[in-house]
């Protein structure tokens, strides 16, 4: 039997803790969430039997086409994510591995996180309404807007809410629809002054949008590079930074004008 050199013996001894480490990692829960394309909802239509946008105090118009807000579906904050799940997620184009704090940035319990997401949605709805009415020079004292979207939390539908309110009240300003009869999807937060912000999970949201028939996707400009990663065939990206910019792009799309691209 050949003699074992001191170096070989050292390597063999060092390999033991490394092997043990991989064995532990394979079964230990890791601080990640696995996300996939979620549901989309037409803000011009209904969700679970109720209109997403209800307006009183002003005449509304009948709309054509769709404005679809998009979501991701992620494993819950209490889910046990192992090394195998993470590796599978890295190689699956329909799923994405995200740091848990990127999906659930606050709270420790499921109840705390759900409460925060509901608060963020309500805040987003208020900002979306204010931005839309300000753009149309309408007073919130006269025009009442109610937004309903079941089982969705967070602020990422803000831009689409604003566009939906404007389409129902004013369309493209010339008697036509903002959508031009298309199915337009998108994502982005919005502030009262109409600034559009980044949201995360954009590659998964573009997949959800195309799955549900969208041909155009409005994306926060800062996330253009992410959106182009694995972009579904047949989906056109339009970068936006403001509500006014989104409106101008949709109008240009309908009239054959210049439309920005990522």
């Amino acid at each position: 039997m050949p003699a074992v050199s001191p170096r070989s013996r050292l390597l063999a001894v060092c390999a033991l803790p490394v092997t043990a480490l991989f064995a532990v990692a394979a079964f230990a829960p890791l601080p990640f969430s696995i996300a996939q394309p979620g549901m989309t909802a037409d803000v011009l239509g209904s969700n679970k039997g109720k209109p997403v946008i209800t307006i009183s105090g002003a005449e509304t118009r009948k709309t054509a086409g769709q404005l679809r807000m998009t979501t991701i579906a992620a494993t819950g904050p209490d889910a046990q994510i192992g090394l195998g799940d993470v590796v599978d997620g890295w190689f699956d184009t329909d799923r994405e591995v995200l740091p848990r704090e990127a999906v659930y940035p606050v709270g420790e319990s499921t109840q705390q996180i759900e409460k925060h997401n509901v608060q963020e949605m309500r805040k987003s709805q208020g900002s979306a309404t204010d931005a839309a009415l300000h753009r149309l020079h309408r007073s919130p004292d006269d025009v009442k807007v109610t937004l309903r979207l079941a089982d969705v939390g967070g602020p990422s539908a803000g831009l689409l809410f604003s566009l939906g309110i404007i389409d129902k009240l004013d369309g493209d300003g010339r008697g036509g629809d903002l959508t031009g009869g298309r199915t337009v999807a998108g994502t982005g937060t919005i502030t009262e002054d109409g600034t559009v912000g980044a949201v995360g999970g954009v590659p998964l949201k573009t997949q959800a949008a195309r799955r549900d028939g969208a041909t155009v996707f409005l994306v926060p400009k800062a996330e253009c590079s992410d959106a182009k990663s694995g972009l579904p065939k047949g989906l056109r990206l339009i970068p936006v930074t403001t509500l006014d910019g989104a409106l101008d792009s949709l109008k240009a799309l309908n009239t054959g004008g210049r439309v920005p691209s990522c």
Side-chain angles (χ1 to χ4, degrees), residues 4-84:
V4 179
S5 70
R7 182 174 181 275
S8 297
R9 187 179 298 111
L10 178 61
L11 290 176
V13 171
C14 290
L16 291 176
V18 174
T19 302
L21 179 62
F22 276 104
V24 171
F27 296 100
L30 299 175
F32 295 102
S33 286
I34 308 298
Q36 60 188 24
M39 57 84 74
T40 73
D42 177 20
V43 301
L44 297 175
S46 298
N47 176 247
K48 295 195 172 181
K50 294 184 178 180
V52 177
I53 300 174
T54 303
I55 299 174
S56 60
E59 184 178 354
T60 58
R61 54 186 301 279
K62 186 177 180 179
T63 59
Q66 298 181 17
L67 285 169
R68 302 196 77 88
M69 56 78 64
T70 55
T71 68
I72 63 172
T75 52
D78 299 327
Q80 300 293 303
I81 304 300
L83 181 61

Side-chain angles (χ1 to χ4, degrees), residues 8-241:
S8 297
R9 187 179 298 111
L10 178 61
L11 290 176
V13 171
C14 290
L16 291 176
V18 174
T19 302
L21 179 62
F22 276 104
V24 171
F27 296 100
L30 299 175
F32 295 102
S33 286
I34 308 298
Q36 60 188 24
M39 57 84 74
T40 73
D42 177 20
V43 301
L44 297 175
S46 298
N47 176 247
K48 295 195 172 181
K50 294 184 178 180
V52 177
I53 300 174
T54 303
I55 299 174
S56 60
E59 184 178 354
T60 58
R61 54 186 301 279
K62 186 177 180 179
T63 59
Q66 298 181 17
L67 285 169
R68 302 196 77 88
M69 56 78 64
T70 55
T71 68
I72 63 172
T75 52
D78 299 327
Q80 300 293 303
I81 304 300
L83 181 61
D85 300 311
V86 172
V87 172
D88 289 344
W90 281 336
F91 291 99
D92 189 342
T93 58
D94 293 330
R95 296 196 295 171
E96 187 173 351
V97 180
L98 300 171
R100 186 169 295 175
E101 62 269 20
V103 181
Y104 304 108
V106 299
E108 297 181 358
S109 70
T110 301
Q111 291 75 18
Q112 288 174 323
I113 292 169
E114 289 177 349
K115 181 178 179 181
H116 172 78
N117 285 341
V118 168
Q119 291 172 342
E120 287 295 297
M121 171 60 87
R122 289 175 179 168
K123 181 179 177 181
S124 173
Q125 290 174 340
S127 297
T129 299
D130 290 343
L133 294 182
H134 177 74
R135 176 63 176 74
L136 297 176
H137 306 291
R138 305 280 189 117
S139 171
D141 295 328
D142 299 321
V143 181
K144 303 297 181 184
V145 179
T146 301
L147 301 173
R148 298 185 183 90
L149 194 56
D151 303 326
V152 177
S156 67
L159 171 62
L160 272 294
F161 281 142
S162 288
L163 292 174
I165 294 168
I166 291 172
D167 203 15
K168 281 184 171 290
L169 286 170
D170 195 53
D172 64 1
R174 299 185 296 271
D177 297 287
L178 282 180
T179 63
R182 301 177 180 85
T183 296
V184 176
T187 191
T189 65
I190 199 161
T191 60
E192 294 179 6
D193 67 0
T195 300
V196 176
V199 293
V202 170
L204 298 177
K205 291 180 178 180
T206 59
Q207 291 184 43
R210 190 69 186 106
R211 178 199 66 204
D212 292 350
T215 56
V216 175
F217 192 91
L218 303 174
V219 60
K221 187 175 181 179
E223 295 180 292
C224 264
S225 60
D226 288 342
K228 289 191 291 186
S229 175
L231 183 68
K233 185 178 180 180
L235 188 64
R236 180 176 184 174
L237 293 177
I238 297 180
V240 295
T241 58

